[in-house]
PDB file of all heavy atoms in Angstrom:
ATOM      1  N   THR A 213     -14.955 -30.604  -0.566  1.00 96.00           N
ATOM      2  CA  THR A 213     -15.866 -30.432  -1.735  1.00 96.00           C
ATOM      3  C   THR A 213     -15.528 -31.495  -2.829  1.00 96.00           C
ATOM      4  O   THR A 213     -16.288 -31.613  -3.813  1.00 96.00           O
ATOM      5  CB  THR A 213     -15.724 -29.041  -2.352  1.00 96.00           C
ATOM      6  OG1 THR A 213     -14.413 -28.871  -2.827  1.00 96.00           O
ATOM      7  CG2 THR A 213     -16.092 -28.011  -1.286  1.00 96.00           C
ATOM      8  N   GLY A 214     -14.487 -32.209  -2.688  1.00 96.00           N
ATOM      9  CA  GLY A 214     -14.064 -33.208  -3.604  1.00 96.00           C
ATOM     10  C   GLY A 214     -13.237 -32.776  -4.784  1.00 96.00           C
ATOM     11  O   GLY A 214     -13.003 -33.575  -5.759  1.00 96.00           O
ATOM     12  N   VAL A 215     -12.622 -31.580  -4.722  1.00 96.00           N
ATOM     13  CA  VAL A 215     -11.846 -31.106  -5.748  1.00 96.00           C
ATOM     14  C   VAL A 215     -10.392 -31.651  -5.704  1.00 96.00           C
ATOM     15  O   VAL A 215      -9.943 -32.083  -4.687  1.00 96.00           O
ATOM     16  CB  VAL A 215     -11.763 -29.559  -5.761  1.00 96.00           C
ATOM     17  CG1 VAL A 215     -13.098 -28.953  -5.975  1.00 96.00           C
ATOM     18  CG2 VAL A 215     -11.111 -29.047  -4.529  1.00 96.00           C
ATOM     19  N   HIS A 216      -9.750 -31.725  -6.857  1.00 96.00           N
ATOM     20  CA  HIS A 216      -8.353 -32.147  -6.997  1.00 96.00           C
ATOM     21  C   HIS A 216      -7.644 -31.182  -7.909  1.00 96.00           C
ATOM     22  O   HIS A 216      -8.248 -30.442  -8.715  1.00 96.00           O
ATOM     23  CB  HIS A 216      -8.274 -33.536  -7.591  1.00 96.00           C
ATOM     24  CG  HIS A 216      -8.966 -34.644  -6.791  1.00 96.00           C
ATOM     25  ND1 HIS A 216     -10.261 -34.875  -6.944  1.00 96.00           N
ATOM     26  CD2 HIS A 216      -8.504 -35.389  -5.761  1.00 96.00           C
ATOM     27  CE1 HIS A 216     -10.671 -35.838  -6.100  1.00 96.00           C
ATOM     28  NE2 HIS A 216      -9.625 -36.172  -5.344  1.00 96.00           N
ATOM     29  N   TYR A 217      -6.294 -31.150  -7.769  1.00 96.00           N
ATOM     30  CA  TYR A 217      -5.516 -30.260  -8.660  1.00 96.00           C
ATOM     31  C   TYR A 217      -5.907 -30.595 -10.119  1.00 96.00           C
ATOM     32  O   TYR A 217      -6.012 -31.689 -10.573  1.00 96.00           O
ATOM     33  CB  TYR A 217      -4.026 -30.538  -8.514  1.00 96.00           C
ATOM     34  CG  TYR A 217      -3.473 -29.996  -7.211  1.00 96.00           C
ATOM     35  CD1 TYR A 217      -2.652 -30.824  -6.376  1.00 96.00           C
ATOM     36  CD2 TYR A 217      -3.595 -28.688  -6.848  1.00 96.00           C
ATOM     37  CE1 TYR A 217      -2.146 -30.359  -5.231  1.00 96.00           C
ATOM     38  CE2 TYR A 217      -3.108 -28.175  -5.667  1.00 96.00           C
ATOM     39  CZ  TYR A 217      -2.381 -29.032  -4.802  1.00 96.00           C
ATOM     40  OH  TYR A 217      -1.838 -28.571  -3.680  1.00 96.00           O
ATOM     41  N   GLY A 218      -6.058 -29.585 -10.898  1.00 96.00           N
ATOM     42  CA  GLY A 218      -6.403 -29.666 -12.303  1.00 96.00           C
ATOM     43  C   GLY A 218      -7.890 -29.583 -12.581  1.00 96.00           C
ATOM     44  O   GLY A 218      -8.331 -29.490 -13.718  1.00 96.00           O
ATOM     45  N   ASP A 219      -8.687 -29.614 -11.486  1.00 96.00           N
ATOM     46  CA  ASP A 219     -10.128 -29.453 -11.642  1.00 96.00           C
ATOM     47  C   ASP A 219     -10.555 -27.949 -11.918  1.00 96.00           C
ATOM     48  O   ASP A 219      -9.750 -27.039 -11.446  1.00 96.00           O
ATOM     49  CB  ASP A 219     -10.887 -29.922 -10.456  1.00 96.00           C
ATOM     50  CG  ASP A 219     -10.908 -31.470 -10.281  1.00 96.00           C
ATOM     51  OD1 ASP A 219     -10.455 -32.125 -11.228  1.00 96.00           O
ATOM     52  OD2 ASP A 219     -11.290 -31.890  -9.221  1.00 96.00           O
ATOM     53  N   ARG A 220     -11.623 -27.708 -12.508  1.00 97.00           N
ATOM     54  CA  ARG A 220     -12.194 -26.313 -12.547  1.00 97.00           C
ATOM     55  C   ARG A 220     -13.123 -26.126 -11.389  1.00 97.00           C
ATOM     56  O   ARG A 220     -13.824 -27.043 -10.942  1.00 97.00           O
ATOM     57  CB  ARG A 220     -12.951 -26.186 -13.865  1.00 97.00           C
ATOM     58  CG  ARG A 220     -12.100 -26.333 -15.142  1.00 97.00           C
ATOM     59  CD  ARG A 220     -11.314 -25.040 -15.421  1.00 97.00           C
ATOM     60  NE  ARG A 220     -10.339 -25.141 -16.469  1.00 97.00           N
ATOM     61  CZ  ARG A 220      -9.582 -24.192 -16.892  1.00 97.00           C
ATOM     62  NH1 ARG A 220      -9.827 -22.946 -16.436  1.00 97.00           N
ATOM     63  NH2 ARG A 220      -8.653 -24.407 -17.821  1.00 97.00           N
ATOM     64  N   VAL A 221     -13.067 -24.908 -10.879  1.00 97.00           N
ATOM     65  CA  VAL A 221     -13.999 -24.539  -9.805  1.00 97.00           C
ATOM     66  C   VAL A 221     -14.721 -23.286 -10.158  1.00 97.00           C
ATOM     67  O   VAL A 221     -14.227 -22.423 -10.952  1.00 97.00           O
ATOM     68  CB  VAL A 221     -13.152 -24.323  -8.503  1.00 97.00           C
ATOM     69  CG1 VAL A 221     -12.634 -25.651  -7.978  1.00 97.00           C
ATOM     70  CG2 VAL A 221     -12.074 -23.255  -8.672  1.00 97.00           C
ATOM     71  N   SER A 222     -15.942 -23.174  -9.640  1.00 97.00           N
ATOM     72  CA  SER A 222     -16.709 -21.928  -9.807  1.00 97.00           C
ATOM     73  C   SER A 222     -16.517 -21.027  -8.666  1.00 97.00           C
ATOM     74  O   SER A 222     -16.624 -21.440  -7.478  1.00 97.00           O
ATOM     75  CB  SER A 222     -18.205 -22.335  -9.956  1.00 97.00           C
ATOM     76  OG  SER A 222     -18.991 -21.180 -10.035  1.00 97.00           O
ATOM     77  N   ILE A 223     -16.199 -19.805  -8.963  1.00 97.00           N
ATOM     78  CA  ILE A 223     -15.851 -18.760  -7.951  1.00 97.00           C
ATOM     79  C   ILE A 223     -16.906 -17.672  -8.018  1.00 97.00           C
ATOM     80  O   ILE A 223     -17.183 -17.175  -9.076  1.00 97.00           O
ATOM     81  CB  ILE A 223     -14.445 -18.171  -8.142  1.00 97.00           C
ATOM     82  CG1 ILE A 223     -13.398 -19.247  -8.201  1.00 97.00           C
ATOM     83  CG2 ILE A 223     -14.153 -17.057  -7.156  1.00 97.00           C
ATOM     84  CD1 ILE A 223     -12.881 -19.595  -6.818  1.00 97.00           C
TER      85      ILE A 223
END
Side-chain angles (χ1 to χ4, degrees):
T213 64
V215 297
H216 300 88
Y217 287 129
D219 289 348
R220 296 279 170 179
V221 293
S222 176
I223 303 275

